[in-house]
Amino acid sequence: MRALRWILAALMIAGAMWITVDMLNEAYGAGPPYYGRTVNMDKWTSPWFALIAIDALVLLIALTLLRGIWGRTDKRS
């Protein structure tokens, strides 16, 4: 069960990192001067607030999973 929690936490963090990189690449574009931002300037919004919320939620869940592992091992010792 401990290994499953480690794997689940690692997959959640990797998924959040993938979403973050993908959203930043889409928002700022591949080339200068931030192609994605300049083409549709009237519709463009900064992705940072959504990314911070998503990453914080995933980090909180992952730490909760890992804290359950550490809490159990500390009680056994």
Side-chain angles (χ1 to χ4, degrees):
M1 187 64 144
R2 185 190 312 182
L4 181 64
R5 287 187 181 201
W6 276 102
I7 292 170
L8 186 61
L11 286 174
M12 288 175 59
I13 292 171
M17 289 173 53
W18 178 66
I19 289 171
T20 301
V21 169
D22 188 45
M23 285 181 72
L24 287 176
N25 190 25
E26 185 177 337
Y28 291 109
Y34 303 129
Y35 181 75
R37 198 165 46 166
T38 58
V39 171
N40 297 318
M41 189 58 108
D42 59 332
K43 300 176 209 167
W44 190 84
T45 58
S46 178
W48 286 106
F49 297 114
L51 290 176
I52 289 171
I54 291 169
D55 291 344
L57 181 65
V58 168
L59 185 62
L60 180 67
I61 294 169
L63 287 176
T64 302
L65 284 171
L66 295 177
R67 184 181 170 130
I69 293 171
W70 291 323
R72 290 183 187 173
T73 55
D74 290 343
K75 291 177 185 176
R76 291 181 193 161
S77 300

Coordinates of all heavy atoms in Angstrom, one line a residue:
M1 N 0.8 -1.2 0.0 CA 0.0 0.0 0.0 C 0.9 1.3 0.0 O 0.5 2.3 -0.6 CB -0.9 0.0 1.2 CG -1.9 1.1 1.2 SD -3.0 0.9 -0.1 CE -4.5 1.4 0.6
R2 N 2.0 1.2 0.7 CA 2.9 2.3 0.7 C 3.4 2.7 -0.6 O 3.5 3.9 -1.0 CB 4.1 2.1 1.7 CG 4.9 3.3 1.9 CD 6.2 3.1 2.6 NE 6.0 2.3 3.8 CZ 7.0 2.0 4.6 NH1 8.3 2.4 4.3 NH2 6.8 1.3 5.7
A3 N 3.8 1.7 -1.4 CA 4.4 1.9 -2.7 C 3.3 2.5 -3.7 O 3.6 3.4 -4.5 CB 4.9 0.6 -3.3
L4 N 2.1 2.1 -3.5 CA 1.0 2.6 -4.3 C 0.8 4.1 -4.0 O 0.5 4.9 -5.0 CB -0.3 1.8 -4.0 CG -1.6 2.3 -4.8 CD1 -1.3 2.0 -6.3 CD2 -2.8 1.5 -4.3
R5 N 0.9 4.5 -2.8 CA 0.7 5.9 -2.5 C 1.9 6.7 -3.0 O 1.7 7.9 -3.5 CB 0.7 6.1 -0.9 CG -0.7 5.7 -0.4 CD -0.7 6.0 1.1 NE -2.0 5.6 1.6 CZ -2.5 6.1 2.7 NH1 -1.9 7.0 3.4 NH2 -3.7 5.7 3.2
W6 N 3.1 6.2 -3.0 CA 4.2 6.9 -3.6 C 4.0 7.1 -5.1 O 4.3 8.1 -5.6 CB 5.5 6.2 -3.3 CG 6.2 6.5 -2.0 CD1 6.1 5.7 -0.9 CD2 6.9 7.6 -1.7 NE1 6.8 6.3 0.1 CE2 7.3 7.5 -0.3 CE3 7.3 8.8 -2.4 CZ2 8.0 8.5 0.3 CZ3 8.0 9.7 -1.7 CH2 8.4 9.6 -0.4
I7 N 3.6 6.0 -5.7 CA 3.4 6.1 -7.2 C 2.3 7.0 -7.5 O 2.4 7.8 -8.5 CB 3.1 4.6 -7.7 CG1 4.3 3.8 -7.6 CG2 2.6 4.7 -9.2 CD1 4.1 2.3 -7.9
L8 N 1.2 7.0 -6.8 CA 0.1 7.9 -7.0 C 0.5 9.4 -6.8 O 0.1 10.2 -7.6 CB -1.1 7.6 -6.1 CG -2.4 8.3 -6.3 CD1 -2.9 8.0 -7.7 CD2 -3.4 7.9 -5.3
A9 N 1.2 9.6 -5.8 CA 1.7 11.0 -5.5 C 2.6 11.5 -6.7 O 2.5 12.6 -7.1 CB 2.4 11.1 -4.2
A10 N 3.5 10.6 -7.1 CA 4.5 10.9 -8.2 C 3.7 11.2 -9.5 O 4.0 12.1 -10.2 CB 5.5 9.8 -8.4
L11 N 2.7 10.4 -9.8 CA 1.9 10.6 -11.0 C 1.1 11.9 -10.9 O 1.0 12.5 -12.0 CB 1.0 9.4 -11.2 CG 1.6 8.1 -11.7 CD1 0.6 7.0 -11.7 CD2 2.3 8.3 -13.1
M12 N 0.6 12.2 -9.8 CA -0.2 13.4 -9.7 C 0.8 14.6 -9.9 O 0.4 15.6 -10.6 CB -0.8 13.5 -8.3 CG -2.0 12.6 -8.1 SD -2.7 12.6 -6.5 CE -3.1 14.3 -6.3
I13 N 1.9 14.6 -9.3 CA 2.9 15.7 -9.5 C 3.4 15.8 -10.9 O 3.5 16.9 -11.5 CB 4.0 15.6 -8.5 CG1 3.5 15.8 -7.0 CG2 5.2 16.6 -8.8 CD1 4.5 15.5 -6.0
A14 N 3.6 14.7 -11.5 CA 4.1 14.7 -12.9 C 2.9 15.2 -13.8 O 3.2 16.0 -14.8 CB 4.5 13.3 -13.4
G15 N 1.7 14.8 -13.6 CA 0.6 15.3 -14.3 C 0.4 16.8 -14.2 O 0.1 17.5 -15.2
A16 N 0.6 17.3 -13.0 CA 0.5 18.8 -12.7 C 1.6 19.5 -13.4 O 1.3 20.6 -14.0 CB 0.5 19.1 -11.2
M17 N 2.8 19.0 -13.4 CA 3.9 19.6 -14.2 C 3.6 19.6 -15.7 O 3.9 20.6 -16.3 CB 5.2 18.9 -13.9 CG 5.7 19.1 -12.5 SD 7.1 18.1 -12.0 CE 8.3 18.4 -13.3
W18 N 3.1 18.6 -16.2 CA 2.8 18.5 -17.6 C 1.7 19.5 -18.0 O 1.8 20.2 -19.0 CB 2.3 17.1 -18.0 CG 1.9 16.9 -19.4 CD1 2.7 17.0 -20.5 CD2 0.6 16.7 -19.9 NE1 2.0 16.8 -21.7 CE2 0.7 16.6 -21.3 CE3 -0.6 16.5 -19.3 CZ2 -0.4 16.4 -22.1 CZ3 -1.7 16.3 -20.1 CH2 -1.6 16.2 -21.5
I19 N 0.7 19.7 -17.2 CA -0.4 20.7 -17.4 C 0.2 22.1 -17.4 O -0.1 22.9 -18.2 CB -1.5 20.5 -16.4 CG1 -2.3 19.2 -16.7 CG2 -2.5 21.7 -16.4 CD1 -3.3 18.8 -15.7
T20 N 1.1 22.3 -16.4 CA 1.7 23.6 -16.2 C 2.5 24.0 -17.5 O 2.4 25.1 -18.0 CB 2.5 23.7 -15.0 OG1 1.7 23.4 -13.8 CG2 3.2 25.0 -14.8
V21 N 3.4 23.1 -17.9 CA 4.2 23.4 -19.1 C 3.4 23.6 -20.3 O 3.6 24.5 -21.1 CB 5.2 22.2 -19.2 CG1 6.0 22.3 -20.6 CG2 6.3 22.2 -18.1
D22 N 2.3 22.7 -20.5 CA 1.5 22.9 -21.7 C 0.7 24.2 -21.7 O 0.7 24.8 -22.7 CB 0.5 21.7 -21.7 CG -0.3 21.6 -23.0 OD1 0.4 21.8 -24.0 OD2 -1.5 21.4 -22.9
M23 N 0.2 24.6 -20.5 CA -0.5 25.8 -20.5 C 0.4 27.1 -20.7 O 0.0 28.0 -21.4 CB -1.3 26.0 -19.2 CG -2.5 25.1 -19.1 SD -3.5 25.3 -17.6 CE -4.2 26.9 -17.8
L24 N 1.6 27.0 -20.1 CA 2.5 28.1 -20.3 C 3.0 28.2 -21.8 O 3.1 29.3 -22.3 CB 3.7 28.0 -19.4 CG 3.4 28.3 -17.9 CD1 4.6 28.1 -17.1 CD2 2.9 29.7 -17.8
N25 N 3.2 27.0 -22.4 CA 3.6 27.0 -23.8 C 2.5 27.6 -24.7 O 2.7 28.3 -25.6 CB 4.0 25.6 -24.2 CG 4.6 25.6 -25.6 OD1 5.2 26.6 -26.0 ND2 4.5 24.5 -26.3
E26 N 1.3 27.2 -24.4 CA 0.1 27.7 -25.2 C -0.1 29.2 -25.0 O -0.4 29.9 -25.9 CB -1.1 27.0 -24.8 CG -2.3 27.3 -25.7 CD -3.5 26.5 -25.3 OE1 -3.4 25.4 -24.8 OE2 -4.6 27.0 -25.6
A27 N 0.1 29.7 -23.7 CA -0.2 31.1 -23.4 C 0.9 32.0 -24.0 O 0.6 33.1 -24.5 CB -0.2 31.3 -21.9
Y28 N 2.2 31.6 -23.9 CA 3.2 32.5 -24.3 C 3.7 32.1 -25.7 O 4.6 32.9 -26.3 CB 4.4 32.5 -23.3 CG 4.0 33.1 -22.0 CD1 3.8 32.4 -20.9 CD2 3.8 34.5 -22.0 CE1 3.4 33.0 -19.7 CE2 3.4 35.1 -20.8 CZ 3.2 34.3 -19.7 OH 2.8 34.9 -18.5
G29 N 3.3 31.1 -26.3 CA 3.7 30.7 -27.7 C 5.1 30.2 -27.8 O 5.9 30.2 -26.8
A30 N 5.5 29.7 -29.0 CA 6.8 29.1 -29.2 C 7.8 30.1 -29.6 O 9.0 29.9 -29.3 CB 6.7 28.0 -30.2
G31 N 7.5 31.2 -30.2 CA 8.5 32.1 -30.7 C 8.3 33.5 -30.2 O 7.2 33.9 -29.6
P32 N 9.3 34.4 -30.3 CA 9.2 35.7 -29.9 C 8.3 36.5 -30.8 O 8.1 36.2 -32.0 CB 10.6 36.3 -30.0 CG 11.3 35.4 -31.0 CD 10.6 34.1 -30.9
P33 N 7.7 37.6 -30.4 CA 7.5 38.0 -29.1 C 6.2 37.5 -28.5 O 5.2 38.2 -28.5 CB 7.4 39.5 -29.2 CG 6.8 39.7 -30.6 CD 7.2 38.6 -31.4
Y34 N 6.2 36.3 -27.9 CA 5.1 35.7 -27.3 C 3.9 35.7 -28.3 O 2.9 36.3 -28.1 CB 4.7 36.4 -26.0 CG 5.8 36.4 -25.0 CD1 6.1 37.6 -24.4 CD2 6.5 35.3 -24.7 CE1 7.2 37.6 -23.5 CE2 7.6 35.3 -23.8 CZ 7.9 36.5 -23.2 OH 8.9 36.6 -22.3
Y35 N 4.0 34.9 -29.3 CA 3.1 34.8 -30.4 C 1.6 34.6 -29.9 O 0.7 35.2 -30.3 CB 3.4 33.7 -31.3 CG 2.5 33.5 -32.5 CD1 2.6 34.4 -33.5 CD2 1.6 32.5 -32.6 CE1 1.8 34.3 -34.6 CE2 0.7 32.4 -33.6 CZ 0.8 33.3 -34.7 OH 0.0 33.2 -35.7
G36 N 1.4 33.7 -28.9 CA 0.1 33.4 -28.4 C -0.6 34.6 -27.8 O -1.8 34.8 -27.8
R37 N 0.2 35.5 -27.2 CA -0.3 36.6 -26.5 C -0.6 37.8 -27.4 O -1.5 38.6 -27.2 CB 0.7 37.1 -25.4 CG 0.2 38.0 -24.4 CD 1.0 38.1 -23.2 NE 2.4 38.4 -23.5 CZ 3.3 38.8 -22.7 NH1 2.9 39.0 -21.4 NH2 4.5 39.0 -23.0
T38 N 0.2 37.9 -28.5 CA 0.0 39.1 -29.4 C -1.1 38.9 -30.4 O -1.6 39.9 -30.9 CB 1.3 39.5 -30.1 OG1 1.8 38.3 -30.8 CG2 2.4 39.9 -29.1
V39 N -1.4 37.7 -30.8 CA -2.3 37.5 -31.9 C -3.7 37.8 -31.4 O -4.5 38.5 -32.0 CB -2.3 36.0 -32.4 CG1 -3.4 35.7 -33.3 CG2 -1.0 35.7 -33.1
N40 N -4.1 37.3 -30.2 CA -5.5 37.6 -29.7 C -5.3 38.4 -28.4 O -5.8 37.9 -27.3 CB -6.2 36.2 -29.4 CG -6.4 35.5 -30.7 OD1 -6.8 36.0 -31.7 ND2 -6.2 34.2 -30.6
M41 N -4.8 39.5 -28.5 CA -4.6 40.3 -27.3 C -5.8 40.7 -26.6 O -5.9 40.8 -25.3 CB -3.8 41.6 -27.7 CG -3.3 42.4 -26.5 SD -2.2 41.4 -25.5 CE -0.7 42.2 -25.8
D42 N -7.0 40.8 -27.3 CA -8.2 41.2 -26.6 C -8.8 40.0 -25.8 O -9.6 40.2 -24.9 CB -9.2 41.7 -27.6 CG -9.5 40.7 -28.7 OD1 -8.6 39.8 -29.0 OD2 -10.6 40.7 -29.2
K43 N -8.4 38.8 -26.2 CA -8.9 37.6 -25.5 C -7.9 37.0 -24.5 O -8.3 36.0 -23.8 CB -9.4 36.5 -26.5 CG -10.4 37.0 -27.4 CD -10.7 35.9 -28.5 CE -11.1 36.5 -29.7 NZ -11.1 35.6 -30.9
W44 N -6.7 37.4 -24.5 CA -5.7 36.8 -23.8 C -5.8 37.1 -22.3 O -6.1 38.2 -21.8 CB -4.3 37.3 -24.2 CG -3.2 36.5 -23.7 CD1 -2.7 35.3 -24.1 CD2 -2.4 36.8 -22.5 NE1 -1.6 34.9 -23.4 CE2 -1.4 35.8 -22.3 CE3 -2.4 37.8 -21.6 CZ2 -0.5 35.8 -21.3 CZ3 -1.5 37.8 -20.5 CH2 -0.6 36.8 -20.4
T45 N -5.6 36.0 -21.5 CA -5.6 36.2 -20.0 C -4.3 35.4 -19.5 O -3.9 34.5 -20.1 CB -6.8 35.6 -19.3 OG1 -6.9 34.2 -19.7 CG2 -8.1 36.3 -19.8
S46 N -3.8 35.9 -18.4 CA -2.7 35.3 -17.8 C -3.0 33.9 -17.2 O -4.0 33.8 -16.5 CB -2.1 36.2 -16.7 OG -1.0 35.5 -16.1
P47 N -2.2 32.9 -17.5 CA -2.6 31.6 -16.9 C -2.1 31.3 -15.5 O -2.3 30.3 -14.9 CB -1.9 30.6 -17.9 CG -0.7 31.4 -18.3 CD -1.1 32.8 -18.4
W48 N -1.3 32.3 -14.9 CA -0.7 32.0 -13.7 C -1.6 31.8 -12.5 O -1.3 30.9 -11.7 CB 0.3 33.2 -13.3 CG 1.5 33.2 -14.2 CD1 1.7 34.0 -15.2 CD2 2.6 32.3 -14.1 NE1 2.9 33.7 -15.8 CE2 3.5 32.7 -15.1 CE3 2.9 31.2 -13.3 CZ2 4.7 32.0 -15.3 CZ3 4.1 30.6 -13.5 CH2 4.9 30.9 -14.5
F49 N -2.7 32.4 -12.4 CA -3.6 32.2 -11.3 C -4.2 30.8 -11.3 O -4.3 30.1 -10.3 CB -4.8 33.3 -11.3 CG -4.2 34.7 -11.2 CD1 -4.3 35.6 -12.2 CD2 -3.6 35.0 -10.0 CE1 -3.8 36.9 -12.0 CE2 -3.1 36.3 -9.8 CZ -3.2 37.2 -10.9
A50 N -4.6 30.3 -12.5 CA -5.2 29.0 -12.6 C -4.1 27.9 -12.3 O -4.3 26.9 -11.7 CB -5.8 28.8 -14.0
L51 N -2.9 28.2 -12.8 CA -1.8 27.3 -12.6 C -1.4 27.2 -11.1 O -1.1 26.1 -10.6 CB -0.6 27.7 -13.4 CG -0.7 27.5 -14.9 CD1 0.5 28.0 -15.7 CD2 -0.9 26.0 -15.3
I52 N -1.4 28.3 -10.5 CA -1.0 28.3 -9.0 C -2.1 27.5 -8.3 O -1.7 26.7 -7.4 CB -0.8 29.7 -8.5 CG1 0.4 30.3 -9.1 CG2 -0.8 29.7 -7.0 CD1 0.6 31.8 -8.8
A53 N -3.3 27.7 -8.6 CA -4.4 27.0 -7.9 C -4.3 25.5 -8.2 O -4.4 24.7 -7.2 CB -5.8 27.5 -8.4
I54 N -4.1 25.1 -9.4 CA -4.0 23.7 -9.7 C -2.8 23.0 -9.1 O -2.9 21.9 -8.4 CB -3.9 23.5 -11.3 CG1 -5.3 23.8 -11.9 CG2 -3.5 22.0 -11.6 CD1 -5.2 23.9 -13.4
D55 N -1.7 23.7 -9.1 CA -0.4 23.1 -8.5 C -0.5 23.1 -7.0 O -0.1 22.1 -6.4 CB 0.8 23.9 -9.0 CG 1.1 23.8 -10.4 OD1 0.6 22.8 -11.1 OD2 1.9 24.6 -11.0
A56 N -1.1 24.0 -6.4 CA -1.3 24.0 -5.0 C -2.2 22.9 -4.5 O -1.9 22.2 -3.5 CB -1.8 25.4 -4.5
L57 N -3.3 22.7 -5.2 CA -4.2 21.6 -4.9 C -3.5 20.2 -5.1 O -3.7 19.4 -4.2 CB -5.5 21.7 -5.8 CG -6.5 20.6 -5.5 CD1 -7.1 20.8 -4.1 CD2 -7.6 20.7 -6.6
V58 N -2.8 20.0 -6.2 CA -2.1 18.8 -6.4 C -1.1 18.6 -5.3 O -0.9 17.4 -4.8 CB -1.5 18.7 -7.8 CG1 -0.6 17.6 -7.9 CG2 -2.6 18.6 -8.8
L59 N -0.3 19.6 -5.0 CA 0.7 19.5 -3.9 C 0.1 19.1 -2.6 O 0.6 18.3 -1.8 CB 1.5 20.8 -3.9 CG 2.7 20.8 -2.9 CD1 3.7 19.7 -3.4 CD2 3.3 22.1 -2.8
L60 N -1.0 19.8 -2.3 CA -1.7 19.5 -1.0 C -2.2 18.0 -0.9 O -2.0 17.3 0.1 CB -2.9 20.4 -0.8 CG -3.7 20.2 0.4 CD1 -2.9 20.7 1.6 CD2 -5.0 21.1 0.3
I61 N -2.7 17.5 -2.0 CA -3.2 16.1 -2.1 C -2.0 15.2 -2.0 O -2.1 14.2 -1.2 CB -4.1 15.9 -3.3 CG1 -5.4 16.7 -3.2 CG2 -4.4 14.4 -3.5 CD1 -6.1 16.7 -4.5
A62 N -0.9 15.5 -2.7 CA 0.2 14.6 -2.7 C 0.9 14.6 -1.3 O 1.3 13.5 -0.8 CB 1.2 15.0 -3.7
L63 N 1.0 15.7 -0.7 CA 1.5 15.7 0.7 C 0.6 15.0 1.7 O 1.1 14.4 2.6 CB 1.8 17.2 1.1 CG 2.9 17.9 0.5 CD1 3.0 19.3 0.9 CD2 4.2 17.2 0.8
T64 N -0.7 15.1 1.5 CA -1.6 14.3 2.4 C -1.4 12.8 2.2 O -1.3 12.1 3.2 CB -3.0 14.7 2.0 OG1 -3.2 16.1 2.2 CG2 -4.0 14.0 2.9
L65 N -1.2 12.4 1.0 CA -0.9 11.0 0.7 C 0.4 10.6 1.4 O 0.5 9.5 2.1 CB -0.9 10.7 -0.8 CG -2.2 10.6 -1.5 CD1 -1.9 10.5 -3.0 CD2 -3.0 9.4 -1.1
L66 N 1.4 11.4 1.2 CA 2.7 11.0 1.7 C 2.8 11.2 3.3 O 3.5 10.4 3.9 CB 3.8 11.8 1.1 CG 4.0 11.6 -0.4 CD1 5.0 12.5 -1.0 CD2 4.3 10.1 -0.7
R67 N 2.0 12.1 3.8 CA 2.0 12.3 5.2 C 1.3 11.0 5.9 O 1.7 10.6 7.0 CB 1.2 13.5 5.6 CG 1.3 13.8 7.1 CD 0.5 15.0 7.5 NE 0.4 15.1 8.9 CZ 0.6 16.1 9.6 NH1 1.1 17.2 9.0 NH2 0.5 16.1 10.9
G68 N 0.4 10.4 5.2 CA -0.2 9.2 5.7 C 0.8 8.1 5.8 O 0.8 7.3 6.8
I69 N 1.7 8.0 4.9 CA 2.7 7.0 4.9 C 3.7 7.3 6.1 O 4.0 6.4 6.8 CB 3.5 7.0 3.6 CG1 2.6 6.6 2.4 CG2 4.7 6.1 3.7 CD1 3.2 6.7 1.1
W70 N 4.1 8.6 6.2 CA 5.1 8.9 7.2 C 4.5 8.8 8.6 O 5.2 8.4 9.5 CB 5.7 10.3 7.0 CG 6.5 10.4 5.8 CD1 7.4 9.5 5.3 CD2 6.6 11.5 4.9 NE1 8.0 9.9 4.2 CE2 7.5 11.2 3.9 CE3 6.0 12.7 4.8 CZ2 7.8 12.0 2.9 CZ3 6.3 13.6 3.8 CH2 7.2 13.2 2.8
G71 N 3.2 9.1 8.7 CA 2.6 9.0 10.0 C 2.5 7.6 10.5 O 2.7 7.3 11.7
R72 N 2.2 6.7 9.6 CA 2.2 5.3 10.0 C 3.5 4.7 10.4 O 3.6 3.9 11.3 CB 1.5 4.5 8.9 CG 0.1 4.7 8.7 CD -0.5 3.8 7.6 NE -1.8 4.3 7.3 CZ -2.6 3.8 6.3 NH1 -2.1 2.9 5.5 NH2 -3.8 4.2 6.1
T73 N 4.5 5.1 9.6 CA 5.9 4.5 10.0 C 6.4 5.1 11.3 O 7.1 4.4 12.0 CB 6.9 4.8 8.8 OG1 6.9 6.2 8.6 CG2 6.5 4.1 7.6
D74 N 6.0 6.4 11.6 CA 6.5 6.9 12.8 C 5.8 6.3 14.0 O 6.4 6.1 15.1 CB 6.2 8.4 12.9 CG 7.0 9.2 11.9 OD1 8.1 8.7 11.5 OD2 6.7 10.4 11.6
K75 N 4.6 5.9 13.9 CA 3.9 5.2 15.0 C 4.4 3.8 15.3 O 4.3 3.3 16.4 CB 2.4 5.2 14.7 CG 1.7 6.5 14.7 CD 0.2 6.4 14.4 CE -0.4 7.8 14.3 NZ -1.8 7.8 13.8
R76 N 4.9 3.2 14.2 CA 5.4 1.8 14.4 C 6.8 1.8 15.1 O 7.1 0.8 15.7 CB 5.5 1.1 13.1 CG 4.2 0.8 12.5 CD 4.3 0.1 11.1 NE 3.1 0.0 10.4 CZ 3.0 -0.2 9.1 NH1 4.1 -0.4 8.4 NH2 1.8 -0.2 8.5
S77 N 7.5 2.8 14.9 CA 8.9 2.9 15.4 C 9.0 2.9 16.9 O 8.3 3.3 17.7 CB 9.7 4.1 14.8 OG 9.7 3.9 13.5

